[in-house]
């Protein structure tokens, strides 16, 4: 499949329903002999085309849950399922596809790579996968153009403002048109105008069919999502 011409064609899943779910998920962290149970048996399904907010006090386990859903950490027990299939049971090739194409993850901090230009940060997944440079570069430039950041393409990422860096991190996560975008406090460090721009970008993709899960302390962000969830005492309600 060639790269889409505009950001409005981003979502691989357009028209295709998919479900990402957690089933009886328990997550413990061990510190010496002591196990701290952060998630105490969570069951929930997330659909494409719907946006979800996850709020909860600091330390309630929001990042932990996001990392499990993104497949970059494992539950102590229970399962993360993609269309009913346990992500832990995927073959290496399927897991690669899951990490690279099915989910996109935005961390609270942008974590842009300072050795790469802005446009190369956007196309990072293609660089890692050794995809042909030309089409990936073209697609990354289109994403930058669609978000008014074309003039920054060849800049050093750390020369950008915090809000611009976070929008680049969002574009990087959207690059492969994921079916689910997981954004962990994507606006935590931003002023209200930059926060609005980041959430606008995410909601635009959700409206085209992507599933969107956003953890946030900010009730203004949470209220813009279709479904509001709260993580408290290790349980998602
Ligand atoms: N790798 C780890 N090792 C040990 N404990 C951890 C680890 N990751 C998270 N924790 C603990 O799990 C709990 C939940 O952490 P988590 O980062 O998921 O919370 P959070 O809701 O995202 O908090 P915040 O709003 O501050 O980002 C915390 O008590 C934290 O110290
Ligand atoms: Mg967190």
């Amino acid at each position: 499949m060639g790269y889409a011409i505009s950001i409005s064609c981003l979502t691989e899943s357009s028209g295709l329903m998919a479900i990402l779910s957690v089933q009886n998920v328990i997550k413990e962290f061990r510190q010496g002999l002591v196990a701290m149970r952060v998630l105490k048996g969570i069951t929930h399904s997330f659909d494409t085309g719907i946006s979800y907010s996850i709020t909860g006090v600091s330390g309630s386990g929001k990042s932990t849950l996001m990392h499990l859903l993104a497949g970059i950490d494992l539950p102590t027990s229970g399962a993360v399922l993609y269309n009913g299939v346990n992500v832990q049971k995927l073959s290496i090739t399927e897991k690669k596809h899951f990490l690279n194409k099915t989910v996109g993850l935005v961390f609270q901090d942008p974590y842009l790579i300072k050795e790469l230009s802005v446009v190369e940060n956007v196309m990072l997944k293609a660089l890692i996968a050794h995809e042909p440079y030309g089409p990936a570069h073209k697609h990354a430039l289109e994403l930058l153009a669609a978000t008014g950041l074309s003039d920054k393409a060849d800049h050093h990422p750390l020369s950008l403002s915090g809000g611009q860096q976070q929008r680049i991190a969002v574009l990087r996560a959207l690059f492969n048109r994921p079916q689910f975008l997981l954004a962990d406090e994507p606006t935590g460090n931003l002023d209200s105008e930059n926060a609005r721009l980041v959430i606008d970008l995410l909601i635009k993709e959700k409206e085209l069919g992507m599933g969107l899960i956003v953890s946030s302390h900010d009730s203004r962000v949470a209220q813009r999502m279709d479904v509001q969830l709260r993580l408290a005492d290790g349980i998602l309600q």
Side-chain angles (χ1 to χ4, degrees), residues 108 166 184-191 195 215-218:
Q108 179 165 354
Q166 191 58 295
D184 189 11
E185 300 264 8
T187 63
N189 297 324
L190 304 184
D191 59 63
S215 87
S216 183
H217 285 296
D218 188 341

Side-chain angles (χ1 to χ4, degrees), residues 29-31 36 38 56-65 73 108 184-185 215 217 231:
F29 291 109
R30 289 206 162 269
Q31 275 165 349
M36 181 178 59
V38 176
V57 298
S58 181
S60 58
K62 302 182 296 298
S63 295
T64 303
L65 178 57
D73 197 2
Q108 179 165 354
D184 189 11
E185 300 264 8
S215 87
H217 285 296
L231 194 50

Side-chain angles (χ1 to χ4, degrees), residues 5-228:
I5 288 165
S6 78
I7 197 166
S8 63
C9 302
L10 268 174
T11 311
E12 184 187 49
S13 61
S14 295
L16 282 180
M17 291 296 290
I19 299 177
L20 187 62
S21 57
V22 281
Q23 203 168 53
N24 302 321
V25 159
I26 291 174
K27 180 66 180 177
E28 293 177 348
F29 291 109
R30 289 206 162 269
Q31 275 165 349
L33 293 176
V34 183
M36 181 178 59
R37 187 165 286 200
V38 176
L39 304 180
K40 299 177 180 170
I42 291 183
T43 298
H44 204 280
S45 291
F46 302 92
D47 293 333
T48 44
I50 297 181
S51 59
Y52 304 82
S53 66
I54 299 178
T55 55
V57 298
S58 181
S60 58
K62 302 182 296 298
S63 295
T64 303
L65 178 57
M66 298 296 260
H67 296 166
L68 293 175
L69 283 167
I72 62 167
D73 197 2
L74 297 174
T76 306
S77 67
V80 176
L81 307 171
Y82 171 61
N83 289 338
V85 177
N86 188 339
V87 169
Q88 257 181 283
K89 304 264 166 70
L90 297 177
S91 67
I92 291 174
T93 310
E94 289 168 336
K95 183 77 189 273
K96 264 191 193 165
H97 188 274
F98 179 82
L99 294 173
N100 203 22
K101 307 272 189 189
T102 305
V103 292
L105 177 61
V106 181
F107 294 93
Q108 179 165 354
D109 294 311
Y111 293 126
L112 300 183
I113 295 178
K114 64 179 188 330
E115 286 77 13
L116 300 177
S117 65
V118 164
V119 66
E120 287 171 335
N121 269 276
V122 174
M123 59 192 277
L124 184 65
K125 284 193 170 181
L127 293 176
I128 290 170
H130 300 293
E131 289 173 16
Y133 191 93
H137 185 257
K138 183 166 175 279
H139 180 49
L141 287 177
E142 287 161 355
L143 297 184
L144 287 167
T147 43
L149 291 166
S150 289
D151 57 327
K152 306 294 183 193
D154 296 321
H155 283 219
H156 189 272
L158 301 187
S159 70
L160 271 52
S161 73
Q164 289 167 339
Q165 287 186 38
Q166 191 58 295
R167 277 188 281 156
I168 298 303
V170 170
L171 293 183
R172 179 178 60 190
L174 290 172
F175 181 84
N176 275 342
R177 313 171 192 102
Q179 288 188 308
F180 292 93
L181 198 287
L182 310 167
D184 189 11
E185 300 264 8
T187 63
N189 297 324
L190 304 184
D191 59 63
S192 54
E193 176 57 14
N194 274 301
R196 190 183 61 75
L197 287 171
V198 166
I199 297 301
D200 285 352
L201 183 54
L202 294 174
I203 288 179
K204 199 167 153 196
E205 291 312 307
K206 187 280 290 189
E207 284 167 358
L208 294 165
M210 185 182 75
L212 173 62
I213 308 169
V214 178
S215 87
S216 183
H217 285 296
D218 188 341
S219 58
R220 284 169 303 182
V221 171
Q223 279 160 12
R224 293 190 65 190
M225 302 301 141
D226 301 324
V227 178
Q228 282 85 33

